[in-house]
Amino acid sequence: MSIADSIIKSVQEKESYEERIGLLQKEIQTIYLTQYEETLALARYGYTLTNSRNDSINKGDFLRSIGGAYQKLGFIDSVSIYFFKALKLLEPTKDSEKLGLLYDDMARLYRKLEQPKRALEFYDRALELYEKENDLEGIARINNESGAVYSDNGDYKIANERFEKSLRIQIQRNDSVGIGYSLEFLGYNQLQIRNYQRAESYLMQALKVRKNVGDEFAIMLNYTALGEYYKEINKALTSNEYFEKSNSLARKINFLDIQAYNHRQLMENYEVLGDYKAAYENLNAYNILNDSLYNTQKIRDVEEITAKYETAEKENEILQQRAKIAESELRLKKRSQWIFGLLGLALIVGLLGFLFYRQQVFINERQKRDGELKLAMEKIESHTKLQEQRLSISRDLHDNIGAQLSFVISTIDTLTFHVQGTNDKVLTGLANLGTFTKETMQELRDTVWAMNKSDITIQDLQARMANFVEKAKHAYPGRHIAIQVAATVPSTLGFTALEGLNIFRILQEALNNALKHAGAQAMLVRIEKEENAVLFEISDDGKGFLENEVEPGNGLYNMRKRAKELGGEFHLESRPGQGTRIVFQLEEKKDSK
């Protein structure tokens, strides 16, 4: 019996509705940080219990828990749906406890999607509720989490003020868990401003508190923060020890995100240490964990295709049944006509003409139905075969070419290790070849991503861009990249797979140019809807250039070519010392979702 089944059984034994709801919420609170599938099952069960009652508060809270579990499992698109359903139920109730937790969760979601303005908006709502109720725990928690948003955006002074305020409240409350989080936030903030002595002090204090509490999830986060600290001060071996400790706990509680992040840091440390075999092993572990998210998406895409196919099959059965009914009606009418013919020989000539006319009408109608049925079946078969071919090609690309590229990268790393110190030109050539091969593999993954989809929505693009931005931040520490999607842009606004890939390539190329060539520190991607068009804008604070004074490269040519293929307009504005702004606009299709 699973944990969820055992808890549900205990809940069912309670006599009153209030006791059942209370026990269920208490158990969810106990496991939601480490056991996401069980949390999802319990929250769904709680939602069914509230359906029989006019209980908007608890119904909204269970919807919040469902969204939170989906977020931990990586289904970001589902999270916002459940959060906004919960918001619709909870806001009219004015329940400060449940509504404050929902505002907090929604702020965390937007922080994960790198939308700081929206994140701070929901944090401010939560803080206003908690201050009105003088809820010290809530005030301390929101100061910690909103401080992290300010820290992410480089406003370390405000971040530090919020973390210190949270720490004072938690010490006043004697809340060891809260004290641990405040100390960790303070330590990480000091690490960002390179105050290494204070950073180490705060992080070590946090670890001591958390070990006393025995909170494995918090200890895991602390180990990762210490790994980053020792990596920053060039103590790679000590850094690796803490990343490994964090991974040990992350595997225990099945927290994939932190495992992937730790393997990435371990890879970079081993490269510094010259242990390329260990670096490659950690890179491979990172790719496997990272690609598991894509495997999840593929499963969901297959389920969607199956659902569409089953719907088409049902429509086909309905058409066949209608054709059989029409044939039965025709046979009955023929019999009736013969009976009437025998009753009056005088009407035979007139009736024969009438019967011939009616027969032709029915035959024509039947042929028309048969033709429509045949056309529908051909369309279904064609769509199914096309989708199968796309899936087959994408699998071949991923399994065959992807594996070959991985082998090439491994071979380059091995050659680099063996020729080190012998020939700088060879080493430079191998490094360039390795970089090119890794970029090719990433482009292959992007192509496979697009091929696995029948259409690509703004939400899909946003998630893919978020993944790219995360990798870019690791490659270029200290750079700030933000993605803003205007509220006027529907999340389900769709493009074909080819259109979606072209849009992603333009955005990717523009950001790569800003990072690699312009030396930009801050980049912003904005997506807006203007009347019947969708506007994409990429701006940076890099060194800029005059387009007519530089040698045209493949990057600009490819962006213009892709925009032209999309049927859109492409504009580039740049001045030396004033950064670069790229805008392209696409007309919205009438059949877009």
Side-chain angles (χ1 to χ4, degrees):
M1 181 181 294
S2 68
I3 293 174
D5 290 337
S6 177
I7 293 172
I8 290 172
K9 185 178 179 182
S10 299
V11 169
Q12 290 171 341
E13 291 173 354
K14 298 294 181 182
E15 294 184 3
S16 69
Y17 171 79
E18 290 74 17
E19 287 178 318
R20 290 195 290 271
I21 294 296
L23 177 59
L24 198 54
Q25 289 179 332
K26 178 182 177 182
E27 295 293 348
I28 288 175
Q29 185 67 24
T30 303
I31 67 171
Y32 81 101
L33 281 177
T34 56
Q35 301 181 55
Y36 317 128
E37 295 285 359
E38 286 77 6
T39 298
L40 187 59
L42 293 177
R44 283 174 170 165
Y45 176 70
Y47 181 76
T48 60
L49 287 181
T50 60
N51 271 335
S52 61
R53 304 291 182 103
N54 186 24
D55 186 359
S56 297
I57 294 175
N58 285 312
K59 181 180 285 190
D61 195 49
F62 284 125
L63 285 171
R64 178 186 69 84
S65 296
I66 292 172
Y70 274 128
Q71 185 169 353
K72 295 291 193 306
L73 291 167
F75 295 100
I76 300 297
D77 51 347
S78 299
V79 178
S80 58
I81 294 172
Y82 284 99
F83 279 173
F84 278 106
K85 283 183 178 179
L87 192 65
K88 186 177 180 181
L89 285 171
L90 287 174
E91 279 197 322
T93 69
K94 306 296 183 183
D95 184 284
S96 61
E97 179 189 358
K98 300 292 193 295
L99 193 54
L101 291 172
L102 178 59
Y103 286 150
D104 189 0
D105 284 345
M106 295 185 77
R108 291 179 191 172
L109 172 64
Y110 285 118
R111 180 185 168 200
K112 186 178 182 68
L113 295 175
E114 297 187 352
Q115 297 183 29
K117 185 176 180 181
R118 288 183 177 174
L120 289 173
E121 176 188 339
F122 281 104
Y123 277 136
D124 288 344
R125 290 191 196 180
L127 195 57
E128 183 180 352
L129 277 178
Y130 290 140
E131 287 177 341
K132 185 177 179 181
E133 298 291 327
N134 196 29
D135 183 342
L136 294 180
E137 188 278 331
I139 295 171
R141 175 163 40 84
I142 297 303
N143 270 286
N144 261 345
E145 295 178 12
S146 60
V149 178
Y150 284 108
S151 180
D152 290 342
N153 286 316
D155 198 336
Y156 304 116
K157 181 180 178 181
I158 293 180
N160 213 67
E161 290 172 356
R162 297 209 170 197
F163 297 148
E164 287 179 341
K165 181 176 181 180
S166 176
L167 181 59
R168 288 194 298 270
I169 294 173
Q170 300 293 28
I171 292 173
Q172 175 187 342
R173 297 179 62 248
N174 195 27
D175 183 345
S176 297
V177 174
I179 291 170
Y181 277 102
S182 297
L183 288 169
E184 184 198 338
F185 279 121
L186 280 164
Y188 197 81
N189 198 52
Q190 293 300 312
L191 182 60
Q192 298 301 306
I193 59 176
R194 294 179 170 81
N195 190 338
Y196 298 125
Q197 185 175 358
R198 294 189 69 186
E200 182 182 25
S201 174
Y202 280 130
L203 292 175
M204 285 301 185
Q205 288 179 63
L207 183 61
K208 182 178 179 180
V209 170
R210 286 166 164 177
K211 283 185 174 179
N212 288 336
V213 174
D215 185 344
E216 292 184 335
F217 181 83
I219 294 171
M220 173 193 71
L221 297 177
N222 220 127
Y223 282 150
T224 293
L226 282 165
E228 292 182 78
Y229 163 73
Y230 285 110
K231 181 184 177 187
E232 184 72 18
I233 62 172
N234 300 318
K235 292 187 177 182
L237 287 172
T238 307
S239 172
N240 284 352
E241 290 177 8
Y242 280 105
F243 282 129
E244 292 290 1
K245 287 180 179 180
S246 175
N247 261 354
S248 177
L249 290 174
R251 284 189 291 269
K252 183 177 179 181
I253 63 178
N254 194 31
F255 200 88
L256 299 182
D257 284 351
I258 205 74
Q259 289 181 56
Y261 180 78
N262 289 341
H263 279 299
R264 183 77 184 186
Q265 306 310 307
L266 285 163
M267 178 203 74
E268 293 174 2
N269 277 342
Y270 279 119
E271 283 183 337
V272 171
L273 293 168
D275 189 343
Y276 297 104
K277 180 181 178 182
Y280 173 74
E281 289 172 351
N282 278 280
L283 174 62
N284 191 44
Y286 167 79
N287 286 332
I288 290 172
L289 287 166
N290 202 39
D291 286 345
S292 68
L293 298 174
Y294 300 118
N295 291 335
T296 302
Q297 183 62 47
K298 289 176 183 177
I299 293 169
R300 294 172 63 209
D301 288 341
V302 170
E303 290 174 348
E304 182 180 348
I305 293 166
T306 303
K308 289 180 179 179
Y309 180 79
E310 289 175 349
T311 301
E313 283 288 290
K314 290 177 181 177
E315 290 175 351
N316 182 25
E317 291 175 3
I318 291 170
L319 288 173
Q320 290 177 340
Q321 289 174 357
R322 287 178 178 173
K324 289 179 180 179
I325 291 171
E327 289 175 353
S328 299
E329 289 176 349
L330 180 60
R331 286 195 296 270
L332 290 171
K333 286 185 178 293
K334 283 183 178 179
R335 291 175 185 173
S336 299
Q337 288 165 358
W338 278 108
I339 293 170
F340 288 128
L342 293 173
L343 294 176
L345 293 175
L347 300 174
I348 287 177
V349 175
L351 286 173
L352 284 174
F354 176 74
L355 288 172
F356 178 78
Y357 168 77
R358 291 294 297 168
Q359 186 177 13
Q360 283 301 116
V361 169
F362 284 121
I363 290 173
N364 290 341
E365 288 179 352
R366 185 175 64 182
Q367 289 175 345
K368 181 181 178 181
R369 290 192 183 99
D370 289 342
E372 291 173 348
L373 176 60
K374 184 178 179 181
L375 181 61
M377 293 179 69
E378 288 174 352
K379 285 183 178 179
I380 293 168
E381 184 178 359
S382 175
H383 176 77
T384 303
K385 287 182 178 178
L386 177 61
Q387 190 62 29
E388 289 174 350
Q389 289 173 353
R390 288 173 62 187
L391 291 172
S392 176
I393 292 170
S394 68
R395 280 195 299 269
D396 288 341
L397 286 173
H398 184 275
D399 295 341
N400 297 331
I401 299 178
Q404 291 171 7
L405 288 173
S406 296
F407 176 76
V408 171
I409 293 171
S410 175
T411 303
I412 291 169
D413 289 342
T414 303
L415 290 173
T416 303
F417 177 80
H418 287 295
V419 302
Q420 263 196 339
T422 60
N423 190 320
D424 290 342
K425 289 185 177 180
V426 172
L427 284 171
T428 301
L430 286 172
N432 291 337
L433 181 58
T435 300
F436 174 78
T437 307
K438 290 173 182 176
E439 291 174 350
T440 302
M441 178 175 281
Q442 185 56 50
E443 291 182 0
L444 175 65
R445 286 182 177 142
D446 294 335
T447 303
V448 170
W449 165 74
M451 289 184 67
N452 279 341
K453 291 180 172 292
S454 56
D455 58 22
I456 294 176
T457 65
I458 285 290
Q459 196 172 54
D460 293 329
L461 276 174
Q462 188 176 356
R464 193 68 181 176
M465 282 302 298
N467 184 43
F468 169 78
V469 166
E470 188 64 27
K471 293 179 180 178
K473 285 185 176 180
H474 290 308
Y476 298 90
R479 309 291 180 91
H480 179 69
I481 307 173
I483 302 172
Q484 293 182 357
V485 180
T488 55
V489 182
S491 62
T492 55
L493 179 66
F495 306 92
T496 67
L498 180 58
E499 289 171 342
L501 183 59
N502 275 334
I503 294 170
F504 175 74
R505 289 285 192 228
I506 294 174
L507 299 176
Q508 184 185 46
E509 182 67 34
L511 291 176
N512 276 330
N513 287 344
L515 289 165
K516 294 179 181 178
H517 306 304
Q521 295 300 310
M523 289 136 277
L524 173 65
V525 177
R526 290 174 53 248
I527 305 175
E528 296 183 351
K529 188 174 184 299
E530 299 181 350
E531 295 182 352
N532 295 325
V534 184
L535 184 74
F536 297 82
E537 177 183 338
I538 312 98
S539 58
D540 66 67
D541 64 353
K543 60 186 179 183
F545 64 97
L546 291 175
E547 188 175 4
N548 58 1
E549 293 182 6
V550 299
E551 183 177 347
N554 289 333
L556 285 175
Y557 171 79
N558 287 337
M559 284 192 284
R560 293 186 187 277
K561 182 173 180 292
R562 291 182 190 277
K564 185 176 180 181
E565 290 174 354
L566 287 165
E569 300 176 359
F570 182 93
H571 299 285
L572 184 145
E573 300 172 9
S574 186
R575 292 287 185 276
Q578 297 181 20
T580 301
R581 178 174 175 264
I582 292 173
V583 179
F584 65 100
Q585 181 174 302
L586 307 178
E587 288 189 8
E588 181 184 359
K589 297 180 181 179
K590 292 182 179 179
D591 58 347
S592 292
K593 295 179 182 178

